[in-house]
Amino acid sequence: MNSPQVIKMYEAREQIYPRETKGRYATIRWVCVWLTQLVFYGTPWLTWNDRQAVLFDLVSRKFYIFGIVLWPQDFIYLAALLIVSAYLLFLVTAVAGRVWCGFACPQTVYTSIFLWIETRIEGARSARMALDKQGPSLKKSAKKTAKHLVWGLVALWTGFTFVGYFTPIKLLAVEAITFDFGPWEWFWVVFYAFATYGNAGWMREQVCKYMCPYARFQSAMFDQDTLIISYDAQRGEPRGALNKKAAPAAKQADCIDCTLCVQVCPTGIDIRDGLQYECIGCAACVDACNGVMDKIGRPRGLVRYSTDHAMANGFTPKQVRQRAHRPRVLIYTAILVLIVSAVGTSMYLRKPLKMDVIRDRNSMGREVEGGMIENTYRLQIMNTTEQSRSFRIKVSGIPTLTLATPPEVTVGATETYSLPVRLRIAGDAGQKGSNKIQIELTALDNESLKVEEKAVFIVPR
């Protein structure tokens, strides 16, 4: 009887030990790491108008972004931000491939940080490989423990900072010192720390290869003129070891098969096999290959940023740049400019004052003293500025229409105020049934800051 055959649906992971590299693109990657982390870790500690500069206060349903205060009614701006981000990603991908993944994606950034920590503690690539092959020992345990301890501290600080965007971070720091976190704060700090620790410390390239959807649909945004990491097979093949004894006139391919391009790759691919979806466009292989070319006296660029058309037709860099102005890129750019312009104009013209008029449905209109007809309303006033303001209420639409409540109201900074108002008309004014009226709210210190809403005044039949 034949034994059952086991079919594996998932390829076992092969441990990758990326080698450190130096060069132009490595420097750019670390600049991106520093810039993104200075922004992420530093922004919550900035102050603006005696409050946290960037705070997404979900409890009070207000988003503070420096001098802007957004309310639930401003959800459209979040949708616009997502649309702008999507089109910007499409544009960048159409022009330069996965440069976002290679230089600024959080997964790449934190993996770089965690790999740097690992290298400082366990050593270079060969030392890390040898350490993992060793049997249990006190030295190995000490290094592994130190590495994971530092990883954990970085992950916890990252989780703490993330929660600091939703809970005032200075208050959060006091709660952390006194171990007085609320249950949700504990949950999100630990959850985000665990995600950072797991993704950047353990899963690494697995996230890019299997979990990130961008790797799967990126090919739909590529074309023959998209800049990608390319291997110049015409120069590099047939590859082989450098023969120092060969005659000067003997022709030898530039690729000496040193495999450094594979050793430095964070996803473990061989770029010489052509474009692969696992390639994140980090250009580590470009730096490594350029270093080798410098040592053996060959021109740089065996592995470089180029396009399929450029590699096939031998385009110059100027021709590559010219072909970047193609219909797809121009359409993405035009749409992006239109959306950004529309959102910017909307933000500039946005009034920091909102008012909703809600009529009291329990009182459809009643007769009061002096034969007057009275309707009751509730004004929901939102002062989105960060200063207390006084407003004047004015009504119009029916002859003799007047306010039976004080015409002025003061609303605190970034507050919503519910104000009951009573409107009256003479008994012989207006028509039976509903009458259209307008209620206007004007700031006393700025006549241009006003808002007007329509309402209905009911006269009993």
Side-chain angles (χ1 to χ4, degrees):
M1 183 176 179
N2 294 330
S3 59
Q5 183 179 6
V6 178
I7 300 176
K8 295 183 178 181
M9 304 299 293
Y10 179 79
E11 183 182 4
R13 180 190 181 190
E14 182 180 349
Q15 185 68 32
I16 297 175
Y17 299 87
R19 179 174 183 157
E20 281 191 316
T21 184
K22 295 181 180 180
R24 177 196 307 170
Y25 295 109
T27 301
I28 295 174
R29 280 197 306 278
W30 279 109
V31 168
C32 290
V33 169
W34 278 101
L35 288 177
T36 54
Q37 298 317 291
L38 283 173
V39 171
F40 175 71
Y41 291 116
T43 299
W45 296 97
L46 301 177
T47 58
W48 188 283
N49 290 341
D50 297 324
R51 52 133 174 110
Q52 189 168 313
V54 177
L55 177 65
F56 307 117
D57 192 345
L58 299 179
V59 175
S60 61
R61 294 178 294 179
K62 299 171 189 173
F63 285 7
Y64 299 92
I65 305 175
F66 294 96
I68 302 173
V69 182
L70 299 177
W71 297 62
Q73 291 82 352
D74 298 314
F75 183 80
I76 185 66
Y77 294 115
L78 174 60
L81 177 62
L82 295 177
I83 294 172
V84 168
S85 300
Y87 271 104
L88 184 60
L89 183 64
F90 297 162
L91 174 62
V92 171
T93 304
V95 174
R98 295 182 67 180
V99 291
W100 157 258
C101 295
F103 293 88
C105 174
Q107 176 64 23
T108 299
V109 167
Y110 284 104
T111 298
S112 298
I113 294 172
F114 276 50
L115 270 173
W116 183 87
I117 294 170
E118 182 176 88
T119 303
R120 300 286 85 74
I121 295 174
E122 295 186 358
R125 179 175 185 267
S126 57
R128 299 199 307 274
M129 295 173 68
L131 183 67
D132 284 350
K133 291 179 181 178
Q134 290 178 9
S137 67
L138 184 60
K139 182 179 180 181
K140 180 177 181 179
S141 298
K143 287 188 175 183
K144 293 291 184 182
T145 300
K147 178 184 74 172
H148 288 286
L149 179 61
V150 178
W151 279 2
L153 291 175
V154 173
L156 282 172
W157 183 249
T158 303
F160 169 82
T161 302
F162 174 77
V163 176
Y165 281 92
F166 300 89
T167 299
I169 198 165
K170 293 180 181 178
L171 174 63
L172 197 66
V174 174
E175 292 178 349
I177 294 172
T178 59
F179 294 96
D180 194 29
F181 277 171
W184 282 110
E185 291 166 340
W186 272 116
F187 173 80
W188 286 112
V189 168
V190 173
F191 177 84
Y192 201 78
F194 177 77
T196 305
Y197 174 81
N199 289 347
W202 290 92
M203 300 181 69
R204 293 183 180 174
E205 79 286 347
Q206 302 291 90
V207 175
C208 302
K209 292 168 66 173
Y210 301 110
M211 295 175 63
C212 179
Y214 183 47
R216 301 296 177 176
F217 66 75
Q218 61 168 326
S219 58
M221 292 179 279
F222 282 15
D223 58 29
Q224 299 296 307
D225 291 303
T226 298
L227 280 173
I228 55 176
I229 305 296
S230 305
Y231 168 68
D232 192 342
Q234 295 181 0
R235 280 182 53 187
E237 300 297 331
R239 69 188 74 156
L242 181 64
N243 186 359
K244 297 181 179 180
K245 297 181 180 180
K251 174 64 177 175
Q252 183 177 4
D254 286 352
C255 180
I256 62 174
D257 204 19
C258 63
T259 72
L260 281 181
C261 58
V262 181
Q263 294 178 35
V264 299
C265 180
T267 58
I269 66 170
D270 189 339
I271 195 61
R272 297 172 297 179
D273 295 336
L275 177 64
Q276 299 146 73
Y277 81 90
E278 296 94 340
C279 177
I280 61 173
C282 67
C285 54
V286 178
D287 284 334
C289 188
N290 284 342
V292 173
M293 292 299 104
D294 290 344
K295 290 179 181 179
I296 65 174
R298 302 290 174 84
R300 290 186 166 201
L302 178 60
V303 180
R304 63 184 184 271
Y305 273 111
S306 188
T307 70
D308 286 343
H309 275 156
M311 297 296 288
N313 301 298
F315 289 160
T316 64
K318 182 178 180 180
Q319 290 175 307
V320 173
R321 289 193 297 270
Q322 288 175 342
R323 294 181 71 89
H325 304 105
R326 54 196 186 275
R328 174 184 294 196
V329 174
L330 296 178
I331 290 172
Y332 285 153
T333 303
I335 294 175
L336 192 59
V337 170
L338 286 174
I339 296 175
V340 171
S341 300
V343 174
T345 302
S346 176
M347 289 290 292
Y348 179 76
L349 299 176
R350 172 175 169 265
K351 289 185 178 181
L353 174 64
K354 295 180 175 65
M355 178 179 65
D356 292 326
V357 179
I358 304 172
R359 218 175 61 73
D360 186 356
R361 297 186 179 276
N362 294 323
S363 175
M364 299 298 290
R366 61 181 179 177
E367 186 174 343
V368 295
E369 66 273 8
M372 303 287 285
I373 304 298
E374 181 180 275
N375 279 204
T376 305
Y377 304 82
R378 181 161 55 87
L379 306 185
Q380 199 78 9
I381 304 171
M382 289 186 291
N383 174 21
T384 64
T385 63
E386 295 190 78
Q387 64 184 67
S388 179
R389 270 201 161 102
S390 296
F391 301 94
R392 180 178 62 253
I393 303 169
K394 182 181 177 182
V395 294
S396 61
I398 305 176
T400 74
L401 179 65
T402 58
L403 272 168
T405 49
E408 294 184 4
V409 60
T410 299
V411 183
T414 65
E415 283 189 1
T416 300
Y417 187 76
S418 183
L419 176 69
V421 296
R422 291 178 288 117
L423 304 185
R424 291 178 180 177
I425 64 172
D428 56 353
Q431 63 182 10
K432 302 297 183 182
S434 64
N435 296 261
K436 294 181 179 180
I437 62 172
Q438 294 80 38
I439 301 178
E440 182 181 284
L441 190 69
T442 306
L444 296 181
D445 61 340
N446 185 358
E447 292 289 333
S448 64
L449 180 56
K450 61 182 177 181
V451 63
E452 183 180 286
E453 291 292 333
K454 295 179 181 179
V456 173
F457 190 96
I458 302 297
V459 177
R461 297 182 183 275

